Amino acid sequence: MELQFYHVLIPFLPLVGFIVNILIGKEVTRYGAHWPGVLTVAGSWVCSLFTLRDVLAGHTIDADLYSWIVSGTFKVSVGFLIDPLTAVMLIVVTTCATLIHIYSIGYMHGDTGYYRFFAYLNLFTFCMLMLVMGNNFLLLYFGWEGVGLCSYFLIGYYFNKKSAADAGKKAFIVNRFGDFGFGIGVFMVFIAFGTLHYADVFGNVSSIAGQRVDFLGFTVDLPTLIALLLFCGAVGKSAQIPLHVWLPDAMEGPTPVSALIHAATMVTAGVFMVARCNPIFNLSPFAMDTVAIIGAATSLFAATIAITQNDIKRIIAYSTCSHLGLMFLACGVGAYAAGIFHLYTHAFFKALLFLAAGSVIHAVHTNDIQEMGGLKKYMPITYAVFIIAALSAAGVPGFSGFFSKDEIIWSAYASHSSVGKLVWLMGTAVAFFTPLYTFRLIFLTFHGTYRGGHHAEAHGHAVTHSAHAHPAPHTSGHGAHDAGHGSHDPGHDTHGSGHNTHAAGHGAQGSHHGEHHIHESPKIMTVPLMFLAVGAVAAGWVGIPPILGGGAHFAHFLEPVLGHPEFHGTHAEEWAVMGLSTTIALLGIGLAAFFYLRKTDLPKKLAEQFSMLYRISFRKYYVDELYHYTIVKPTLWIANSVLVAITDAKIIEGIVNGVPGAIGRFSQSLRKIQTGIVEHYGIFMAAGAVFILALLYFMR
Amino acid sequence: MIQQAFFAYFAFAITVLALVVITRKNPIHSVAWMLLLFFHIAALYLFLNAEFLAAVQVIVYAGGILVLFLFAVLLVNVREEMRISRFIGAGAAGFTFAVGLLVVVLMALRSFIAAPPGMYTIEHIQQETNAIALGKVLYTEFLYPFEITSLILLVAIIGAIVLAKKGLRG
Amino acid sequence: MVPLSWYMVLSVIVFAIGVFGFLSRRNVILMFMSIELMLNGVNINLIALSHYLQDLRGQILAFFVIAVAAAEAAIGLAIVIALFRNKATAHVDDVKELRG
């Protein structure tokens, strides 16, 4: 099958939306910026459905659009590879992107940077689609860096807020470390294979098996080296230990961004890349074990942090870290299909969790769950979808998260991997913590009594955008509220919010966000939530394992790309593993209910009892502090005392100021020649002509 | 022999007239002597079988450019011109370098090697007449330069008007 | 028969006289006339070469030189007029705007 026009449209439609909004957004589209934004992404979604149909019909397309770089033996094209893996990613990316774009219409309503937001979101979608559709490593790298750039733009979207700008920088810089390794990995692929084209690389992958190369003075196994370097990039992009620190801070961005980029799509690029490069990883058991261990460790590590956090978005961010760890765990034991399956289900329930959290933030204007509570009766839809997402994330049987998580845990148990049993234990532990922190979040947010409201004056900024005067901003019949309450402005993605500077001129009539003002979000936000909720429940039904009477269609679909891992285990064992993880998950929910519904004073007592453990978890294992003292401080010290004080002040400025000074003094003496009389210049010209002619004549 | 005699006369006359032109105090005299110089040069062109260019020399230089110079000279206060030195302070340096140039180029001339002769022999040109032969080359091989030259003249006309017209520039 | 070198020597002499005039005269109009002298020196050379090498392209070049000389004279004298209007002088050493 040839490349069809709708295949090409998939990535380039969002690019069109980006170009339209970035060029004329400020003047023309403005608060209608969602039209180009949403329509182009929805168009991509439709094209993706057609593409899925083609792939289901058995077509695989690998076609070049045009030659990008040709230099000697180095040839790279802009070309697309459309196979089952790509098709899955396309569906995940475009579905989530479309729903989140729609949600953003309500969430970003009235923001001054409305057009900018949609432009960046479209650019991100374009880069992400290029990443998943590219047929060579350079295009993958292009998309990889492109999504990183958009992530930076969008984390720092409220660039007037220092913490947001810092978080953007942090994400970008931390990703540099990973991408550095990834870049070298791509170079190594080129050195080893002489091409970057997937089909040529993976077709000849056996040629490098067992080769050893000299790298930085060590003789290392070539497949291991390439796999680990590529995995470096995945560690950075997918926020795994030790480069996970940027993801929680990335929550400074608007919530739709967190949902799209930092949960559903971009952060899963690392998993996608590892799965895409599975022929290389398969050659190196050591690299596979590393992937599995890092994934499992991150998963457990992030889950334990999430239990004690109080910021609603950070909890979900750590949950994302944890789930990404599970996906790497699956890839590490060779069950790539299970990893991609979890990627696929995770995209739905995690995007839903984030968007529902955004809906909550939209209503109460704070991120701190200690100031929420009892929201169940005000926000029934949000509550319902939140519960669905949490059940899915917790792995309760029947929900999509259950099938993927169970497949990962079973794969870990049954694989031939040498670390299989270890990571299985860690994964099972995660299965306990995930429901615990998720339901802690739900119970603190939606149950009990409302604990906010006493910070009302701090939220005065929320009304300052009422100057935008949007007619009937809420379609769900809350017009009456708007009068006393101003418009909703998404600047409430703040912690402690009083320092929000992007809202100019704090309204004098500081509105009171008391309990009775909390209300459900508008339909433009809740409808995408409901669609995602359907996905969170049903998306996993395509991959029901045979033991539960399903056909494991998902794994079979991906088999041509990802292969079929060999398991050793009996049906009895499979039932036992599944039963254990499910029981543990239900136990986690029960424990959360016990702590936060029944004995609400118990968590505090426990925290005091085990203050050491509590503090370690609460301070996120002091990783940020560790990096601050081992990397940031020394770097700043070198920058200030060596680079600024010596290199910059003495050497560079010495050259920069010295050269013009010398030229200036020389010119001062030359000034005397400039008499302003034309003939003097003429005489110099003639003298020069005579001199040159004489020189030519005598030097002949 | 008679040719050498003619050339000797014209060469001598041209050299002397050129020196006279640039050394007159009164610019009007310079222009007048220059008219005579141009006629001599035109005669030299006739010697070289370039009748058309001889005619152009007389018409354009003597008839056009010199009249322009005459107009410009009328601006000059001749009385003041007669009073002050005709050369600038650095005139001696100018003389030195002009002589230096002369010497260097004359030395270089000794090593001149002529290219092989082309197809336009004297008989050929006489048979075709100089103007026709010239026109054929001008309008075929040199058509584009010819057109560009016309453009340069147009620009010069407009430029001269813009520069000389009072009040056009604000 | 007059040798080619005689013409060339003559042309160099005329050119050098033009250079001398250009470099030493105080009056701008005389400077322009010196330039015309230089151009005529070149033209003599071109036409002599054209004759002796039996190639008409020399005459064509001389033709272009005359055309450009006409343009240059028109522009140059317009500048003289503009200069005279602004500075009431035609002497180069009275104009020192370019002094460094």
Side-chain angles (χ1 to χ4, degrees):
Chain A
M1 186 173 186
E2 295 293 306
L3 195 68
Q4 302 292 316
F5 73 96
Y6 52 85
H7 299 146
V8 181
L9 280 184
I10 294 173
F12 289 110
L13 269 178
L15 184 65
V16 170
F18 163 71
I19 291 171
V20 167
N21 270 338
I22 207 73
L23 289 184
I24 60 170
K26 203 168 188 176
E27 283 77 26
V28 183
T29 52
R30 272 154 125 176
Y31 292 104
H34 53 267
W35 286 111
V38 172
L39 286 180
T40 52
V41 176
S44 285
W45 178 67
V46 173
C47 293
S48 299
L49 290 183
F50 282 115
T51 308
L52 179 66
R53 184 201 61 188
D54 294 341
V55 176
L56 283 173
H59 298 294
T60 296
I61 300 157
D62 182 356
D64 289 345
L65 277 184
Y66 76 103
S67 288
W68 183 8
I69 303 169
V70 179
S71 168
T73 58
F74 181 69
K75 291 188 183 66
V76 182
S77 310
V78 173
F80 296 140
L81 168 65
I82 295 170
D83 64 0
L85 180 58
T86 307
V88 169
M89 290 304 289
L90 286 180
I91 292 299
V92 168
V93 172
T94 54
T95 310
C96 290
T98 308
L99 290 172
I100 290 167
H101 271 73
I102 295 170
Y103 176 92
S104 305
I105 299 172
Y107 191 84
M108 300 306 288
H109 188 90
D111 191 88
T112 44
Y114 196 65
Y115 75 94
R116 191 163 55 90
F117 183 81
F118 277 98
Y120 290 160
L121 225 49
N122 275 359
L123 181 64
F124 167 79
T125 312
F126 162 71
C127 292
M128 189 69 204
L129 290 168
M130 289 302 275
L131 191 158
V132 301
M133 289 181 76
N135 71 351
N136 58 61
F137 279 95
L138 199 64
L139 218 51
L140 173 73
Y141 194 76
F142 164 79
W144 193 270
E145 295 298 334
V147 292
L149 180 70
C150 296
S151 162
Y152 165 76
F153 284 156
L154 285 163
I155 295 169
Y157 177 73
Y158 299 121
F159 53 81
N160 282 328
K161 204 170 76 177
K162 186 171 185 313
S163 60
D166 285 348
K169 275 186 280 182
K170 186 172 179 181
F172 205 73
I173 292 167
V174 170
N175 265 300
R176 283 306 88 210
F177 287 92
D179 292 353
F180 179 67
F182 184 57
I184 295 176
V186 173
F187 294 150
M188 292 300 294
V189 167
F190 180 72
I191 290 171
F193 296 97
T195 176
L196 291 176
H197 195 262
Y198 287 150
D200 300 336
V201 170
F202 300 146
N204 296 325
V205 75
S206 53
S207 67
I208 63 161
Q211 271 190 40
R212 302 180 75 76
V213 290
D214 194 50
F215 185 76
L216 299 177
F218 298 98
T219 307
V220 288
D221 186 44
L222 184 58
T224 306
L225 177 66
I226 293 177
L228 286 181
L229 284 172
L230 292 177
F231 184 58
C232 265
V235 165
K237 191 64 74 190
S238 297
Q240 300 295 294
I241 291 174
L243 300 181
H244 65 285
V245 288
W246 67 269
L247 187 58
D249 286 23
M251 298 303 128
E252 293 285 343
T255 306
V257 171
S258 307
L260 179 61
I261 299 184
H262 306 119
T265 56
M266 184 189 85
V267 289
T268 61
V271 182
F272 165 77
M273 191 270 289
V274 171
R276 177 58 87 197
C277 301
N278 70 80
I280 296 176
F281 281 84
N282 282 339
L283 289 177
S284 168
F286 178 72
M288 293 284 278
D289 292 349
T290 311
V291 173
I293 293 285
I294 286 189
T298 309
S299 189
L300 192 58
F301 174 84
T304 51
I305 294 175
I307 295 173
T308 55
Q309 298 302 307
N310 281 330
D311 183 316
I312 185 168
K313 286 178 72 182
R314 275 174 193 254
I315 296 172
I316 308 175
Y318 279 110
S319 166
T320 306
C321 264
S322 173
H323 282 281
L324 289 166
L326 281 182
M327 296 174 208
F328 280 113
L329 190 164
C331 293
V333 299
Y336 300 102
I340 294 296
F341 187 33
H342 197 55
L343 187 164
Y344 159 75
T345 56
H346 170 261
F348 290 102
F349 66 71
K350 189 52 59 70
L352 179 57
L353 268 183
F354 264 118
L355 294 186
S359 176
V360 170
I361 296 168
H362 196 67
V364 300
H365 299 282
T366 176
N367 281 11
D368 192 346
I369 54 173
Q370 299 296 351
E371 292 179 22
M372 300 177 189
L375 300 179
K376 185 169 60 172
K377 60 177 181 286
Y378 306 109
M379 311 183 72
I381 300 172
T382 305
Y383 175 65
V385 296
F386 215 114
I387 288 281
I388 290 170
L391 289 172
S392 193
V396 171
F399 292 87
S400 49
F402 165 75
F403 299 111
S404 54
K405 194 174 198 168
D406 175 67
E407 196 168 331
I408 288 174
I409 290 175
W410 166 242
S411 303
Y413 178 83
S415 75
H416 292 280
S417 170
S418 53
V419 295
K421 292 291 187 291
L422 174 66
V423 296
W424 167 69
L425 275 177
M426 292 164 93
T428 311
V430 172
F432 169 73
F433 286 119
T434 308
L436 182 60
Y437 64 72
T438 319
F439 279 90
R440 167 179 176 265
L441 173 60
I442 288 182
F443 295 145
L444 283 177
T445 308
F446 291 101
H447 292 258
T449 52
Y450 186 59
R451 296 181 293 276
H454 51 279
H455 282 234
E457 69 281 5
H459 302 305
H461 70 273
V463 297
T464 54
H465 276 271
S466 53
H468 288 305
H470 347 283
H474 297 279
T475 50
S476 53
H478 291 281
H481 283 291
D482 288 325
H485 187 94
S487 64
H488 290 272
D489 124 68
H492 41 63
D493 271 324
T494 62
H495 324 289
S497 44
H499 50 75
N500 190 329
T501 51
H502 84 275
H506 285 231
Q509 80 280 29
S511 87
H512 192 277
H513 281 284
E515 195 172 354
H516 55 285
H517 285 301
I518 298 166
H519 55 77
E520 184 60 89
S521 300
K523 276 211 180 75
I524 195 81
M525 288 165 69
T526 53
V527 170
L529 289 181
M530 292 179 220
F531 276 105
L532 278 171
V534 172
V537 174
W541 295 352
V542 296
I544 299 175
I547 191 170
L548 292 178
H553 299 296
F554 196 86
H556 289 307
F557 179 58
L558 288 173
E559 216 175 285
V561 189
L562 302 178
H564 184 69
E566 281 185 28
F567 291 154
H568 56 93
T570 60
H571 277 302
E573 280 178 304
E574 194 169 348
W575 277 113
V577 166
M578 188 187 295
L580 179 65
S581 65
T582 309
T583 315
I584 274 183
L586 294 174
L587 208 65
I589 299 178
L591 197 64
F594 178 69
F595 276 166
Y596 297 100
L597 290 182
R598 281 285 172 77
K599 304 267 187 184
T600 46
D601 53 340
L602 199 56
K604 204 169 221 173
K605 280 185 191 159
L606 277 177
E608 279 160 12
Q609 194 78 35
F610 302 100
S611 65
M612 175 83 171
L613 287 175
Y614 175 79
R615 198 155 344 111
I616 287 176
S617 168
F618 187 71
R619 302 302 299 268
K620 309 148 200 165
Y621 292 86
Y622 296 97
V623 174
D624 274 326
E625 285 80 357
L626 179 73
Y627 286 169
H628 184 73
Y629 287 108
T630 58
I631 295 172
V632 178
K633 276 264 173 109
T635 308
L636 283 177
W637 182 83
I638 292 172
N640 282 324
S641 60
V642 179
L643 295 179
V644 172
I646 298 172
T647 314
D648 208 54
K650 301 268 160 56
I651 299 174
I652 294 178
E653 294 210 359
I655 293 170
V656 167
N657 294 333
V659 170
I663 291 172
R665 281 189 293 281
F666 180 61
S667 322
Q668 283 295 333
S669 53
L670 278 186
R671 267 185 65 186
K672 298 184 183 95
I673 300 175
Q674 304 286 328
T675 56
I677 296 171
V678 180
E679 279 160 314
H680 292 175
Y681 302 110
I683 286 168
F684 282 115
M685 262 173 73
V690 171
F691 179 72
I692 289 172
L693 283 175
L695 203 68
L696 284 176
Y697 181 71
F698 289 113
M699 299 291 287
R700 198 162 41 121
Chain B
M1 187 63 206
I2 194 152
Q3 285 181 339
Q4 273 102 333
F6 265 109
F7 178 80
Y9 162 68
F10 279 108
F12 179 74
I14 287 170
T15 310
V16 170
L17 283 172
L19 281 172
V20 167
V21 162
I22 62 158
T23 49
R24 288 311 88 198
K25 258 198 168 177
N26 189 334
I28 297 175
H29 292 178
S30 285
V31 173
W33 287 115
M34 202 166 189
L35 183 67
L36 198 55
L37 171 66
F38 282 161
F39 275 114
H40 277 79
I41 290 176
L44 205 61
Y45 289 173
L46 282 177
F47 248 33
L48 292 166
N49 276 342
E51 302 98 72
F52 182 73
L53 276 174
V56 169
Q57 174 82 8
V58 171
I59 293 167
V60 174
Y61 265 118
I65 296 176
L66 276 186
V67 171
L68 261 182
F69 276 112
L70 211 54
F71 277 127
V73 164
L74 294 181
L75 290 170
V76 178
N77 184 345
V78 176
R79 201 167 294 151
E80 195 203 337
E81 207 68 28
M82 303 306 288
R83 193 164 47 75
I84 60 168
S85 162
R86 68 196 84 174
F87 297 118
I88 61 161
F95 180 74
T96 313
F97 286 117
V99 171
L101 194 70
L102 180 68
V103 171
V104 170
V105 176
L106 283 181
M107 282 198 301
L109 269 186
R110 287 188 311 183
S111 54
F112 174 77
I113 299 164
M119 57 176 285
Y120 289 95
T121 56
I122 298 167
E123 293 75 37
H124 184 210
I125 294 174
Q126 277 173 344
Q127 193 187 353
E128 220 176 10
T129 74
N130 179 258
I132 291 176
L134 203 62
K136 276 183 180 166
V137 181
L138 189 60
Y139 292 117
T140 54
E141 198 182 341
F142 288 90
L143 183 62
Y144 288 117
F146 178 75
E147 295 294 342
I148 292 169
T149 310
S150 68
L151 198 67
I152 290 174
L153 284 172
L154 179 69
V155 171
I157 292 167
I158 298 169
I161 292 171
V162 170
L163 283 171
K165 194 170 188 301
K166 208 174 196 169
L168 198 72
R169 292 174 299 158
Chain C
M1 190 67 186
V2 184
L4 171 62
S5 57
W6 290 21
Y7 284 100
M8 292 173 92
V9 171
L10 173 66
S11 104
V12 174
I13 289 171
V14 174
F15 186 84
I17 291 170
V19 169
F20 167 57
F22 180 79
L23 293 185
S24 53
R25 284 303 297 240
R26 169 168 284 163
N27 193 313
V28 182
I29 297 170
L30 261 297
M31 286 172 72
F32 275 112
M33 288 167 72
S34 304
I35 292 174
E36 300 299 335
L37 268 186
M38 285 192 257
L39 291 173
N40 268 291
V42 172
N43 275 354
I44 291 172
N45 202 7
L46 283 171
I47 291 168
L49 281 168
S50 164
H51 179 68
Y52 283 91
L53 300 183
Q54 299 174 358
D55 190 336
L56 276 181
R57 282 179 288 187
Q59 294 192 27
I60 302 280
L61 276 180
F63 182 76
F64 287 141
V65 168
I66 291 172
V68 172
E72 173 254 324
I75 294 289
L77 294 174
I79 291 174
V80 171
I81 290 171
L83 175 72
F84 200 83
R85 184 181 296 138
N86 286 325
K87 295 267 170 190
T89 182
H91 295 154
V92 276
D93 48 357
D94 290 339
V95 186
K96 292 187 176 175
E97 258 72 25
L98 285 175
R99 189 189 180 89

